[in-house]
Amino acid sequence: MGVCTELWLVRHGETEWSAEGKHTSRTDILLTELGRERAVVLGRFLAGVNFCAVLRSPMERARETCEIAGFGDVAQVDDGLREWDYGVYEGRTTAEIQTEIPGWSVWKDPIVGGETLEQVGARADGVIMRALEAVEGAELNADRVLLFGHAHILRILAARWIGLQPVGGSLLTLGTGSVSVLGWERETRVVARWNRGFEGRA
């Protein structure tokens, strides 16, 4: 594996819950019409880029985005790309939760009945490891791995890539249907591009 390896991160397209700002993890919800349209645009943007592997979350919104973008036939399901399990906060917005717990943040408060930030960070580390292993074992002349996932897991994965603790993901925002690239500057891991949106949307 050389230092030219890149991880291309795609957050799934819009869903009704993502549009409303609801925490969405284990609830399997499909894309909106706009989400499907964005996935088509993603496919055009990614066409012609060589990837040695494609990994995706097992959730329907990630599967749908991946398939519409044209990678359904080659994608492998990676359970590590599941979204953070929000426990009792599933389906609720931050504003709603803060009416009961003033100042609540997914990044600093206990996630009752769900995963800790550290557990999600460990999952992200596993995805990075498997992505790098895919590059090492690839027969294609490509050092890029394409990942279809969700906002928080991809933000945490990016933080771990550049050597930050999982909470470093709080410094990175990520829109639906966006593309980001993690890569290298000489021997240092970097965020090469972040939250690339299309058609004027995040």
Coordinates of all heavy atoms in Angstrom, one line a residue, residues 30-123:
L30 N -36.3 4.8 3.3 CA -35.9 5.0 1.9 C -35.6 6.4 1.6 O -36.0 7.3 2.4 CB -36.9 4.4 1.0 CG -37.1 2.9 1.1 CD1 -38.2 2.4 0.2 CD2 -35.8 2.1 0.8
L31 N -35.0 6.6 0.4 CA -34.7 8.0 0.0 C -36.0 8.7 -0.4 O -36.9 8.1 -0.9 CB -33.7 7.9 -1.2 CG -32.4 7.2 -1.0 CD1 -31.6 7.3 -2.3 CD2 -31.6 7.8 0.2
T32 N -35.9 10.1 -0.3 CA -37.0 10.9 -1.0 C -36.7 11.0 -2.4 O -35.6 10.5 -2.9 CB -36.9 12.3 -0.4 OG1 -35.7 12.9 -0.6 CG2 -37.1 12.3 1.2
E33 N -37.6 11.6 -3.2 CA -37.4 11.8 -4.6 C -36.1 12.6 -4.8 O -35.3 12.3 -5.7 CB -38.6 12.6 -5.2 CG -38.4 12.8 -6.7 CD -39.6 13.5 -7.3 OE1 -40.6 13.6 -6.6 OE2 -39.6 13.8 -8.5
L34 N -35.9 13.7 -4.0 CA -34.7 14.5 -4.1 C -33.4 13.6 -3.8 O -32.4 13.7 -4.5 CB -34.7 15.6 -3.1 CG -33.4 16.5 -3.1 CD1 -33.1 17.1 -4.4 CD2 -33.6 17.6 -2.0
G35 N -33.5 12.7 -2.8 CA -32.4 11.8 -2.5 C -32.1 10.9 -3.7 O -30.9 10.7 -4.0
R36 N -33.1 10.4 -4.4 CA -32.8 9.6 -5.5 C -32.2 10.4 -6.7 O -31.3 9.9 -7.4 CB -34.1 8.9 -6.0 CG -34.6 7.8 -5.0 CD -35.8 7.0 -5.5 NE -37.0 7.8 -5.6 CZ -37.8 7.9 -4.6 NH1 -37.6 7.3 -3.4 NH2 -38.9 8.7 -4.7
E37 N -32.7 11.6 -6.9 CA -32.1 12.5 -7.9 C -30.7 12.8 -7.6 O -29.8 12.8 -8.5 CB -32.9 13.8 -8.0 CG -34.3 13.6 -8.5 CD -35.1 14.9 -8.4 OE1 -34.6 15.9 -7.9 OE2 -36.3 14.9 -8.9
R38 N -30.4 13.0 -6.3 CA -29.0 13.3 -6.0 C -28.1 12.1 -6.2 O -26.9 12.2 -6.7 CB -28.9 13.7 -4.5 CG -27.5 13.9 -4.0 CD -26.7 14.9 -4.7 NE -27.3 16.2 -4.5 CZ -27.1 17.0 -3.4 NH1 -26.3 16.6 -2.4 NH2 -27.6 18.2 -3.3
A39 N -28.6 10.9 -6.0 CA -27.9 9.7 -6.2 C -27.5 9.5 -7.7 O -26.4 9.0 -8.1 CB -28.6 8.4 -5.7
V40 N -28.4 9.9 -8.6 CA -28.2 9.9 -10.0 C -27.0 10.8 -10.4 O -26.1 10.5 -11.1 CB -29.4 10.3 -10.8 CG1 -29.1 10.5 -12.3 CG2 -30.5 9.3 -10.7
V41 N -27.0 12.0 -9.7 CA -26.0 13.0 -10.0 C -24.6 12.5 -9.4 O -23.6 12.6 -10.0 CB -26.3 14.4 -9.3 CG1 -25.2 15.4 -9.5 CG2 -27.6 14.9 -9.9
L42 N -24.7 11.8 -8.3 CA -23.5 11.2 -7.7 C -22.9 10.2 -8.7 O -21.7 10.1 -8.9 CB -23.8 10.5 -6.4 CG -24.0 11.3 -5.1 CD1 -24.6 10.4 -4.0 CD2 -22.6 11.8 -4.7
G43 N -23.8 9.4 -9.3 CA -23.3 8.4 -10.3 C -22.6 9.0 -11.4 O -21.5 8.5 -11.9
R44 N -23.1 10.2 -11.9 CA -22.4 10.9 -13.0 C -21.0 11.4 -12.5 O -20.0 11.3 -13.3 CB -23.3 12.0 -13.5 CG -24.6 11.6 -14.1 CD -25.3 12.8 -14.6 NE -26.7 12.5 -15.1 CZ -27.7 13.2 -14.8 NH1 -27.6 14.3 -14.1 NH2 -28.9 12.8 -15.2
F45 N -21.0 11.9 -11.3 CA -19.7 12.5 -10.8 C -18.7 11.4 -10.6 O -17.5 11.6 -10.9 CB -20.0 13.2 -9.5 CG -18.8 13.7 -8.8 CD1 -18.2 14.9 -9.3 CD2 -18.2 13.1 -7.7 CE1 -17.1 15.4 -8.7 CE2 -17.1 13.6 -7.1 CZ -16.5 14.8 -7.6
L46 N -19.1 10.2 -10.2 CA -18.2 9.1 -9.9 C -17.8 8.3 -11.1 O -16.9 7.5 -11.0 CB -18.8 8.2 -8.8 CG -19.0 8.9 -7.4 CD1 -19.8 8.0 -6.5 CD2 -17.7 9.2 -6.7
A47 N -18.6 8.4 -12.1 CA -18.3 7.6 -13.4 C -16.9 7.9 -13.9 O -16.5 9.0 -14.0 CB -19.4 8.0 -14.4
G48 N -16.3 6.8 -14.2 CA -14.9 6.9 -14.8 C -13.8 6.9 -13.7 O -12.6 6.8 -14.1
V49 N -14.2 7.0 -12.4 CA -13.2 6.9 -11.4 C -13.0 5.5 -11.0 O -13.9 4.7 -10.8 CB -13.6 7.7 -10.1 CG1 -12.5 7.6 -9.0 CG2 -13.9 9.1 -10.4
N50 N -11.7 5.0 -11.0 CA -11.4 3.6 -10.7 C -11.3 3.4 -9.2 O -10.5 4.0 -8.5 CB -10.1 3.2 -11.4 CG -10.2 3.2 -12.9 OD1 -11.3 2.8 -13.4 ND2 -9.2 3.6 -13.6
F51 N -12.1 2.4 -8.7 CA -12.1 2.0 -7.3 C -11.7 0.6 -7.2 O -12.3 -0.3 -8.0 CB -13.5 2.3 -6.6 CG -13.9 3.7 -6.6 CD1 -14.8 4.2 -7.5 CD2 -13.3 4.6 -5.7 CE1 -15.2 5.5 -7.5 CE2 -13.7 5.9 -5.6 CZ -14.7 6.4 -6.6
C52 N -10.8 0.2 -6.3 CA -10.5 -1.2 -6.2 C -11.5 -1.9 -5.3 O -11.5 -3.2 -5.3 CB -9.1 -1.3 -5.6 SG -8.9 -0.7 -3.9
A53 N -12.3 -1.2 -4.6 CA -13.3 -1.8 -3.7 C -14.4 -0.8 -3.4 O -14.1 0.4 -3.4 CB -12.7 -2.4 -2.4
V54 N -15.6 -1.3 -3.2 CA -16.7 -0.5 -2.8 C -17.4 -1.1 -1.6 O -17.8 -2.3 -1.7 CB -17.8 -0.3 -3.9 CG1 -18.9 0.6 -3.5 CG2 -17.1 0.2 -5.2
L55 N -17.5 -0.4 -0.5 CA -18.1 -0.9 0.7 C -19.3 0.0 1.0 O -19.3 1.2 0.8 CB -17.1 -0.8 1.9 CG -15.7 -1.5 1.7 CD1 -14.9 -1.3 2.9 CD2 -15.9 -3.0 1.4
R56 N -20.4 -0.7 1.6 CA -21.5 0.1 1.9 C -22.2 -0.4 3.2 O -22.0 -1.5 3.6 CB -22.6 0.1 0.8 CG -23.3 -1.3 0.6 CD -24.5 -1.2 -0.2 NE -25.2 -2.4 -0.5 CZ -26.1 -3.0 0.3 NH1 -26.3 -2.5 1.5 NH2 -26.6 -4.2 0.0
S57 N -22.9 0.6 3.8 CA -23.7 0.2 5.0 C -24.8 -0.8 4.6 O -25.3 -0.7 3.5 CB -24.3 1.5 5.6 OG -25.4 1.2 6.4
P58 N -25.2 -1.6 5.5 CA -26.3 -2.5 5.2 C -27.7 -1.9 5.2 O -28.7 -2.5 4.8 CB -26.3 -3.5 6.4 CG -25.7 -2.7 7.5 CD -24.7 -1.8 6.9
M59 N -27.8 -0.6 5.6 CA -29.1 0.1 5.6 C -29.6 0.4 4.2 O -28.9 0.7 3.3 CB -29.0 1.3 6.5 CG -28.5 1.0 7.9 SD -29.3 -0.3 8.8 CE -30.9 0.4 9.0
E60 N -31.0 0.4 4.1 CA -31.6 0.6 2.8 C -31.2 1.9 2.2 O -31.1 2.0 0.9 CB -33.1 0.5 3.0 CG -33.6 -0.9 3.1 CD -33.3 -1.8 1.9 OE1 -33.8 -1.4 0.8 OE2 -32.6 -2.8 2.1
R61 N -31.1 3.0 2.9 CA -30.8 4.3 2.3 C -29.5 4.4 1.7 O -29.2 5.0 0.7 CB -31.0 5.4 3.4 CG -30.2 5.3 4.7 CD -30.8 6.2 5.8 NE -30.1 6.1 7.0 CZ -30.3 5.2 8.0 NH1 -31.2 4.2 7.8 NH2 -29.6 5.2 9.1
A62 N -28.5 3.6 2.3 CA -27.2 3.5 1.7 C -27.2 2.6 0.5 O -26.5 2.9 -0.5 CB -26.2 3.0 2.8
R63 N -27.9 1.5 0.6 CA -28.0 0.5 -0.5 C -28.6 1.2 -1.7 O -28.1 1.1 -2.8 CB -28.9 -0.7 -0.1 CG -29.0 -1.7 -1.2 CD -30.2 -2.6 -1.0 NE -31.5 -1.8 -0.9 CZ -32.2 -1.3 -1.9 NH1 -31.7 -1.4 -3.2 NH2 -33.3 -0.6 -1.7
E64 N -29.7 2.0 -1.5 CA -30.4 2.6 -2.6 C -29.5 3.7 -3.2 O -29.4 3.7 -4.5 CB -31.7 3.3 -2.0 CG -32.7 3.7 -3.1 CD -33.9 4.2 -2.5 OE1 -34.1 4.4 -1.3 OE2 -34.9 4.5 -3.3
T65 N -28.8 4.4 -2.4 CA -27.9 5.4 -3.0 C -26.8 4.8 -3.8 O -26.5 5.2 -4.9 CB -27.2 6.3 -1.9 OG1 -28.3 6.9 -1.1 CG2 -26.3 7.3 -2.4
C66 N -26.2 3.7 -3.3 CA -25.1 3.0 -3.9 C -25.6 2.4 -5.3 O -24.9 2.5 -6.3 CB -24.7 1.9 -3.0 SG -23.4 0.8 -3.7
E67 N -26.8 1.8 -5.3 CA -27.3 1.2 -6.5 C -27.6 2.2 -7.5 O -27.3 2.0 -8.7 CB -28.5 0.3 -6.1 CG -28.1 -1.0 -5.3 CD -29.3 -1.9 -5.1 OE1 -30.4 -1.5 -5.5 OE2 -29.1 -3.0 -4.6
I68 N -28.3 3.3 -7.2 CA -28.7 4.3 -8.2 C -27.4 4.9 -8.7 O -27.4 5.2 -9.9 CB -29.6 5.3 -7.5 CG1 -30.9 4.7 -7.2 CG2 -29.8 6.5 -8.5 CD1 -31.8 5.7 -6.4
A69 N -26.4 5.1 -7.9 CA -25.1 5.7 -8.4 C -24.4 4.7 -9.3 O -23.4 5.1 -9.9 CB -24.3 6.1 -7.2
G70 N -24.8 3.5 -9.4 CA -24.2 2.5 -10.3 C -23.2 1.5 -9.7 O -22.4 0.9 -10.5
F71 N -23.2 1.4 -8.4 CA -22.2 0.5 -7.8 C -22.8 -0.7 -7.1 O -22.1 -1.4 -6.3 CB -21.3 1.3 -6.8 CG -20.5 2.4 -7.5 CD1 -21.0 3.7 -7.7 CD2 -19.2 2.1 -8.0 CE1 -20.2 4.7 -8.3 CE2 -18.4 3.1 -8.7 CZ -19.0 4.4 -8.8
G72 N -24.0 -0.9 -7.3 CA -24.7 -2.0 -6.5 C -24.1 -3.3 -6.8 O -24.1 -4.2 -5.9
D73 N -23.7 -3.6 -8.0 CA -23.2 -4.9 -8.4 C -21.9 -5.3 -7.8 O -21.5 -6.4 -7.7 CB -23.1 -5.0 -10.0 CG -24.5 -5.1 -10.6 OD1 -25.5 -5.3 -9.9 OD2 -24.6 -4.8 -11.8
V74 N -21.1 -4.2 -7.5 CA -19.7 -4.5 -7.0 C -19.6 -4.2 -5.5 O -18.5 -4.5 -4.9 CB -18.7 -3.7 -7.8 CG1 -18.7 -4.1 -9.2 CG2 -19.0 -2.2 -7.7
A75 N -20.6 -3.6 -4.9 CA -20.5 -3.2 -3.5 C -20.5 -4.4 -2.5 O -21.3 -5.4 -2.8 CB -21.5 -2.2 -3.1
Q76 N -19.7 -4.3 -1.5 CA -19.7 -5.3 -0.4 C -20.3 -4.6 0.8 O -20.0 -3.5 1.1 CB -18.3 -5.8 -0.1 CG -17.6 -6.4 -1.2 CD -16.2 -6.8 -0.9 OE1 -15.9 -7.3 0.2 NE2 -15.2 -6.5 -1.8
V77 N -21.2 -5.3 1.5 CA -21.8 -4.8 2.8 C -20.8 -4.9 3.9 O -20.1 -5.9 4.1 CB -23.0 -5.6 3.1 CG1 -23.6 -5.1 4.5 CG2 -24.1 -5.4 2.1
D78 N -20.6 -3.7 4.5 CA -19.7 -3.7 5.7 C -20.5 -3.2 6.9 O -20.9 -2.0 6.9 CB -18.5 -2.7 5.4 CG -17.4 -2.8 6.5 OD1 -17.7 -2.8 7.7 OD2 -16.2 -2.9 6.1
D79 N -20.7 -4.0 7.8 CA -21.5 -3.7 9.0 C -20.9 -2.5 9.8 O -21.7 -1.8 10.5 CB -21.8 -4.9 9.9 CG -23.0 -4.7 10.8 OD1 -24.1 -4.5 10.3 OD2 -22.8 -4.8 12.0
G80 N -19.6 -2.3 9.7 CA -19.0 -1.2 10.4 C -19.5 0.2 9.9 O -19.3 1.2 10.6
L81 N -20.1 0.2 8.7 CA -20.5 1.5 8.2 C -22.0 1.8 8.6 O -22.5 2.8 8.2 CB -20.4 1.5 6.6 CG -19.0 1.7 6.1 CD1 -19.0 1.4 4.6 CD2 -18.5 3.1 6.3
R82 N -22.6 1.0 9.5 CA -23.9 1.4 10.0 C -23.7 2.7 10.8 O -22.7 3.1 11.3 CB -24.3 0.3 11.1 CG -24.8 -0.9 10.5 CD -25.3 -1.9 11.6 NE -24.2 -2.3 12.5 CZ -24.0 -1.8 13.7 NH1 -24.9 -1.0 14.2 NH2 -23.0 -2.3 14.4
E83 N -24.9 3.4 10.8 CA -24.8 4.7 11.6 C -24.8 4.4 13.1 O -25.1 3.3 13.5 CB -26.1 5.5 11.2 CG -26.2 6.9 11.9 CD -25.0 7.8 11.6 OE1 -23.9 7.5 12.0 OE2 -25.2 8.9 11.0
W84 N -24.3 5.4 13.8 CA -24.3 5.4 15.3 C -25.7 5.0 15.8 O -26.7 5.5 15.4 CB -24.0 6.8 15.7 CG -23.6 7.0 17.1 CD1 -23.9 6.2 18.2 CD2 -22.9 8.2 17.6 NE1 -23.4 6.8 19.4 CE2 -22.8 8.0 19.0 CE3 -22.4 9.3 17.1 CZ2 -22.2 8.9 19.9 CZ3 -21.8 10.3 17.9 CH2 -21.7 10.1 19.3
D85 N -25.7 4.0 16.7 CA -27.0 3.6 17.3 C -27.3 4.6 18.4 O -26.6 4.7 19.4 CB -26.8 2.2 17.9 CG -28.1 1.6 18.5 OD1 -29.1 2.5 18.7 OD2 -28.3 0.4 18.6
Y86 N -28.4 5.4 18.1 CA -28.8 6.5 19.0 C -29.6 6.1 20.2 O -30.1 6.9 21.0 CB -29.5 7.6 18.2 CG -28.7 8.1 17.1 CD1 -29.1 8.0 15.8 CD2 -27.5 8.8 17.3 CE1 -28.4 8.5 14.7 CE2 -26.8 9.3 16.2 CZ -27.2 9.1 15.0 OH -26.5 9.6 13.9
G87 N -29.9 4.8 20.3 CA -30.7 4.3 21.5 C -32.1 5.0 21.6 O -32.8 5.0 20.6
V88 N -32.4 5.5 22.7 CA -33.7 6.1 23.0 C -33.9 7.4 22.2 O -35.0 7.9 22.1 CB -33.9 6.4 24.5 CG1 -33.8 5.1 25.3 CG2 -32.9 7.4 25.0
Y89 N -32.8 7.9 21.6 CA -33.0 9.2 20.8 C -33.3 9.0 19.4 O -33.4 9.9 18.6 CB -31.7 10.0 21.0 CG -31.4 10.2 22.5 CD1 -30.2 9.7 23.0 CD2 -32.2 10.9 23.3 CE1 -29.9 9.9 24.4 CE2 -31.9 11.1 24.6 CZ -30.8 10.6 25.2 OH -30.5 10.8 26.5
E90 N -33.4 7.7 19.0 CA -33.7 7.4 17.6 C -35.0 8.1 17.2 O -36.0 8.1 17.9 CB -33.9 5.9 17.4 CG -34.3 5.4 16.0 CD -33.1 5.3 15.1 OE1 -32.0 5.6 15.5 OE2 -33.3 4.9 13.9
G91 N -35.0 8.7 16.0 CA -36.2 9.4 15.5 C -36.5 10.8 16.1 O -37.5 11.4 15.7
R92 N -35.6 11.3 16.9 CA -35.8 12.6 17.5 C -34.8 13.6 17.1 O -33.7 13.2 16.8 CB -35.8 12.4 19.1 CG -36.7 11.4 19.6 CD -36.7 11.4 21.1 NE -37.3 12.6 21.7 CZ -37.2 12.9 23.0 NH1 -36.5 12.1 23.8 NH2 -37.7 14.0 23.4
T93 N -35.2 14.8 17.0 CA -34.2 15.9 16.7 C -33.5 16.4 17.9 O -33.9 16.2 19.0 CB -34.9 17.1 16.0 OG1 -35.7 17.7 17.0 CG2 -35.8 16.6 14.8
T94 N -32.4 17.0 17.7 CA -31.6 17.6 18.8 C -32.5 18.6 19.6 O -32.5 18.6 20.8 CB -30.3 18.2 18.3 OG1 -29.5 17.2 17.8 CG2 -29.6 18.9 19.4
A95 N -33.2 19.4 18.9 CA -34.0 20.4 19.5 C -35.1 19.8 20.4 O -35.3 20.3 21.5 CB -34.7 21.3 18.4
E96 N -35.7 18.7 20.0 CA -36.7 18.0 20.8 C -36.0 17.4 22.1 O -36.6 17.6 23.1 CB -37.3 16.9 20.0 CG -38.2 17.3 18.9 CD -38.7 16.2 18.0 OE1 -38.1 15.1 18.0 OE2 -39.6 16.4 17.2
I97 N -34.9 16.8 21.9 CA -34.2 16.3 23.1 C -33.8 17.3 24.0 O -33.9 17.2 25.3 CB -33.0 15.4 22.6 CG1 -33.4 14.3 21.7 CG2 -32.2 14.9 23.8 CD1 -32.3 13.7 20.9
Q98 N -33.4 18.5 23.5 CA -32.9 19.6 24.4 C -34.0 20.2 25.2 O -33.8 20.9 26.2 CB -32.2 20.6 23.6 CG -30.8 20.2 23.1 CD -30.1 21.2 22.3 OE1 -30.7 22.2 21.7 NE2 -28.8 21.1 22.1
T99 N -35.3 20.0 24.8 CA -36.4 20.5 25.7 C -36.5 19.7 27.0 O -37.0 20.2 28.0 CB -37.8 20.3 24.9 OG1 -38.0 19.0 24.7 CG2 -37.7 21.1 23.6
E100 N -35.9 18.5 26.9 CA -35.9 17.6 28.2 C -34.5 17.7 28.8 O -34.4 17.6 30.1 CB -36.2 16.2 27.8 CG -37.6 16.0 27.1 CD -37.8 14.6 26.6 OE1 -36.9 13.7 26.9 OE2 -38.8 14.3 26.0
I101 N -33.5 17.8 28.0 CA -32.1 17.8 28.5 C -31.4 19.0 27.9 O -30.8 18.9 26.9 CB -31.3 16.5 28.2 CG1 -32.1 15.3 28.5 CG2 -30.0 16.5 28.8 CD1 -31.5 14.0 28.0
P102 N -31.5 20.2 28.6 CA -30.9 21.4 28.0 C -29.4 21.2 27.7 O -28.7 20.6 28.5 CB -31.1 22.4 29.2 CG -32.3 21.9 29.9 CD -32.2 20.4 29.9
G103 N -29.1 21.7 26.5 CA -27.7 21.6 26.1 C -27.2 20.2 25.6 O -26.1 20.0 25.3
W104 N -28.2 19.3 25.5 CA -27.8 17.9 25.1 C -27.1 17.9 23.7 O -27.4 18.7 22.8 CB -29.1 17.1 24.9 CG -28.8 15.6 24.6 CD1 -28.6 14.6 25.4 CD2 -28.8 15.1 23.2 NE1 -28.4 13.4 24.7 CE2 -28.5 13.7 23.3 CE3 -28.9 15.7 21.9 CZ2 -28.4 12.9 22.2 CZ3 -28.8 14.8 20.8 CH2 -28.5 13.5 21.0
S105 N -26.1 17.1 23.6 CA -25.4 16.9 22.3 C -25.0 15.4 22.2 O -24.6 14.8 23.2 CB -24.1 17.7 22.3 OG -23.3 17.3 21.2
V106 N -25.2 14.9 21.0 CA -24.8 13.5 20.8 C -23.3 13.3 21.0 O -22.9 12.2 21.3 CB -25.2 13.1 19.3 CG1 -24.3 13.8 18.3 CG2 -25.2 11.6 19.2
W107 N -22.5 14.4 20.9 CA -21.1 14.3 21.0 C -20.6 14.2 22.4 O -19.5 13.8 22.7 CB -20.4 15.4 20.3 CG -20.7 15.4 18.8 CD1 -21.6 16.2 18.1 CD2 -20.1 14.6 17.8 NE1 -21.6 15.9 16.8 CE2 -20.7 14.9 16.6 CE3 -19.2 13.5 17.9 CZ2 -20.4 14.3 15.4 CZ3 -18.8 12.9 16.7 CH2 -19.4 13.3 15.5
K108 N -21.4 14.7 23.4 CA -20.9 14.8 24.8 C -21.7 14.2 25.8 O -21.3 14.0 27.0 CB -20.6 16.3 25.1 CG -21.9 17.1 25.2 CD -21.5 18.6 25.6 CE -22.8 19.5 25.7 NZ -23.7 19.0 26.7
D109 N -22.9 13.8 25.5 CA -23.8 13.2 26.5 C -24.0 11.7 26.3 O -23.8 11.2 25.2 CB -25.2 13.9 26.5 CG -25.1 15.3 27.0 OD1 -24.9 15.5 28.2 OD2 -25.3 16.2 26.2
P110 N -24.3 11.0 27.4 CA -24.5 9.5 27.3 C -25.7 9.2 26.3 O -26.7 9.9 26.2 CB -24.9 9.1 28.7 CG -24.4 10.1 29.6 CD -24.5 11.4 28.8
I111 N -25.5 8.2 25.5 CA -26.5 7.7 24.5 C -27.2 6.5 25.2 O -26.8 5.4 25.1 CB -25.9 7.3 23.2 CG1 -25.0 8.5 22.6 CG2 -27.0 6.9 22.2 CD1 -25.8 9.8 22.4
V112 N -28.3 6.8 25.8 CA -29.1 5.8 26.6 C -29.6 4.7 25.6 O -30.3 5.0 24.7 CB -30.2 6.4 27.4 CG1 -31.0 5.4 28.2 CG2 -29.7 7.6 28.3
G113 N -29.2 3.5 25.9 CA -29.7 2.4 25.1 C -29.0 2.2 23.8 O -29.4 1.4 23.0
G114 N -28.0 3.0 23.5 CA -27.3 3.0 22.2 C -25.8 2.7 22.4 O -25.3 2.2 23.3
E115 N -25.0 3.2 21.4 CA -23.6 3.1 21.4 C -22.9 4.3 22.0 O -23.3 5.4 21.9 CB -23.0 2.9 20.0 CG -23.4 1.6 19.3 CD -22.8 1.5 17.9 OE1 -23.3 2.2 17.0 OE2 -21.9 0.8 17.7
T116 N -21.7 4.0 22.6 CA -20.9 5.1 23.0 C -20.1 5.7 21.8 O -19.9 5.0 20.8 CB -19.9 4.7 24.1 OG1 -18.9 3.7 23.5 CG2 -20.6 4.0 25.3
L117 N -19.6 6.9 22.0 CA -18.8 7.5 20.9 C -17.6 6.6 20.7 O -17.1 6.4 19.5 CB -18.4 8.9 21.3 CG -17.5 9.7 20.4 CD1 -18.1 9.8 19.0 CD2 -17.2 11.1 21.0
E118 N -17.0 6.1 21.7 CA -15.8 5.2 21.6 C -16.1 3.9 20.8 O -15.3 3.5 20.0 CB -15.2 4.9 23.0 CG -14.6 6.1 23.7 CD -15.7 7.1 24.2 OE1 -16.8 6.7 24.4 OE2 -15.3 8.3 24.3
Q119 N -17.3 3.4 21.0 CA -17.6 2.2 20.3 C -17.8 2.5 18.8 O -17.4 1.7 17.9 CB -19.0 1.6 20.8 CG -18.8 0.9 22.2 CD -20.2 0.5 22.8 OE1 -21.2 1.2 22.6 NE2 -20.2 -0.6 23.4
V120 N -18.4 3.6 18.4 CA -18.5 4.0 17.0 C -17.1 4.3 16.5 O -16.8 3.9 15.3 CB -19.4 5.2 16.9 CG1 -19.6 5.5 15.4 CG2 -20.7 5.0 17.5
G121 N -16.2 4.9 17.2 CA -14.9 5.1 16.8 C -14.1 3.8 16.5 O -13.4 3.7 15.5
A122 N -14.4 2.8 17.3 CA -13.7 1.5 17.1 C -14.3 0.9 15.8 O -13.5 0.2 15.0 CB -14.0 0.6 18.3
R123 N -15.6 1.0 15.5 CA -16.1 0.5 14.3 C -15.5 1.2 13.1 O -15.2 0.6 12.0 CB -17.6 0.7 14.2 CG -18.4 -0.3 15.0 CD -19.8 -0.5 14.5 NE -20.7 0.6 14.9 CZ -21.3 1.4 14.0 NH1 -21.0 1.4 12.8 NH2 -22.1 2.4 14.5

